[in-house]
Amino acid sequence: MFATYLIGLREGLEATLVVSILVAFLVKSQRRDRLPQVWAGVGLAVALSVLFGWLIEYTTTSLLSRSEDRELFEAITSVAAVVFVTWMIFWMRRAARTIAGELRGKLTEALAVGSLAVAGMAFLAVIREGLETALIFYSAAQGAAGDSGPLLALIGGIVTAVVLGVLLYASALRINLSKFFTWTGALLILVAAGILKYGVHDFQEAGVLPGLNDLAFDITSTLDPSTWYAALLAGMFNVTPAPTVLETIAWVAYAVPVLLLFLRPARRKPAPTATTTTVTERGADTGAEAEAASTPQRA
């Protein structure tokens, strides 16, 4: 459940910071009259994200009758989720310095067009996070059918993110967002490695990949699946005591190089950068640019 909580927290905080930038810009520009359009766009994005998640679940439970088809569908969604996670993490690192400026520029153009453009801009700014969250959550929560724990953990992560975003906006909380996104990004890479491992297993179950019975190792006697710590490792990173050879290769081949690339020190620039930010009406512009997505640094 921690994995789904982390997904909700990370994606939710990104979306919350984006909305904070938009709201702060409107308030600063004396355009509070456009705030209802922003919230309308955000609400529509959330509704469509929930619908997308429901459609994925409905496809698996109702539209696919054969178990092989369900396994194949789950495998494909797992690979897609890994691609989205990887792209999102590295995109946020690369776009950290420009995201606030780009949002301000787009919102300025939308204000000149009209209320529908403002709502559409807010919708597009949030929908990406929502769709990613739905897809990643579905892939991370596979195998927990009938268990409401992962869904509650996801909701808890999103609620935590919203609270943090509100406190940041209200200047009531200061956190090092650079380190926050670095550590959560690294953990999400391990989560994504587990999702990829699960996807490979589903491909094997569907008969697309061979080696379903070829185990890389079996440490069941040491890592008892019935223990709480084994369940924790399986739930967070899909670390199981008896994985197949292909599952193990996929996990290592993804986790090791991606972690090394992600944690590689960024090139230093002459200009100093802020390490702590507060999203406020006065400081959302510079603070969000410096920290909203943040270039990972060594702790």
Side-chain angles (χ1 to χ4, degrees):
M1 288 193 297
F2 177 77
T4 54
Y5 176 84
L6 179 65
I7 292 168
L9 178 61
R10 168 80 185 218
E11 297 285 340
L13 188 56
E14 289 177 11
T16 301
L17 290 176
V18 168
V19 174
S20 297
I21 293 170
L22 298 180
V23 171
F25 179 74
L26 288 176
V27 172
K28 185 177 179 180
S29 304
Q30 302 298 318
R31 297 303 304 270
R32 293 176 180 268
D33 60 305
R34 295 302 187 188
L35 287 177
Q37 285 77 42
V38 170
W39 295 120
V42 171
L44 180 60
V46 172
L48 287 181
S49 300
V50 173
L51 177 62
F52 177 67
W54 176 81
L55 285 175
I56 295 177
E57 181 66 23
Y58 180 76
T59 299
T60 304
T61 57
S62 301
L63 298 183
L64 300 177
S65 56
R66 296 197 312 150
S67 61
E68 293 84 358
D69 294 335
R70 289 193 295 270
E71 297 290 348
L72 183 59
F73 179 78
E74 291 176 356
I76 293 173
T77 57
S78 294
V79 173
V82 171
V83 172
F84 274 117
V85 169
T86 309
W87 176 82
M88 174 265 295
I89 291 173
F90 284 95
W91 178 84
M92 288 298 291
R93 184 177 71 170
R94 185 177 64 253
R97 307 284 177 188
T98 60
I99 185 172
E102 291 178 359
L103 286 172
R104 292 197 311 270
K106 292 178 180 178
L107 188 54
T108 299
E109 296 174 0
L111 285 170
V113 174
S115 58
L116 287 179
V118 174
M121 193 267 165
F123 169 81
L124 292 175
V126 176
I127 189 64
R128 179 180 64 84
E129 304 293 346
L131 296 181
E132 284 179 0
T133 301
L135 182 60
I136 298 169
F137 167 72
Y138 172 78
S139 300
Q142 288 183 35
D147 184 3
S148 61
L151 179 59
L152 294 177
L154 178 75
I155 295 174
I158 293 174
V159 171
T160 303
V162 171
V163 172
L164 287 175
V166 171
L167 291 176
L168 284 168
Y169 182 86
S171 303
L173 179 67
R174 290 178 179 271
I175 62 174
N176 190 320
L177 289 178
S178 178
K179 289 185 177 181
F180 173 84
F181 281 113
T182 297
W183 285 107
T184 56
L187 287 173
L188 276 180
I189 289 173
L190 295 179
V191 171
I195 293 174
L196 180 61
K197 175 176 173 290
Y198 195 99
V200 170
H201 182 80
D202 281 337
F203 275 125
Q204 291 178 314
E205 290 278 2
V208 175
L209 291 177
L212 180 60
N213 298 316
D214 298 331
L215 300 181
F217 53 84
D218 188 348
I219 56 172
T220 305
S221 58
T222 303
L223 187 63
D224 186 353
S226 63
T227 60
W228 67 268
Y229 50 86
L232 181 64
L233 287 174
M236 289 176 60
F237 309 122
N238 198 27
V239 174
T240 54
T244 67
V245 173
L246 284 182
E247 287 179 69
T248 305
I249 292 175
W251 198 98
V252 175
Y254 174 85
V256 173
V258 175
L259 269 176
L260 290 177
L261 286 173
F262 180 73
L263 296 176
R264 182 179 59 183
R267 293 181 180 179
R268 298 288 183 178
K269 291 186 177 182
T273 58
T275 57
T276 304
T277 186
T278 300
V279 180
T280 66
E281 295 179 11
R282 179 180 60 82
D285 299 345
T286 57
E289 284 183 16
E291 298 291 344
S294 297
T295 303
Q297 303 172 357
R298 290 190 181 276

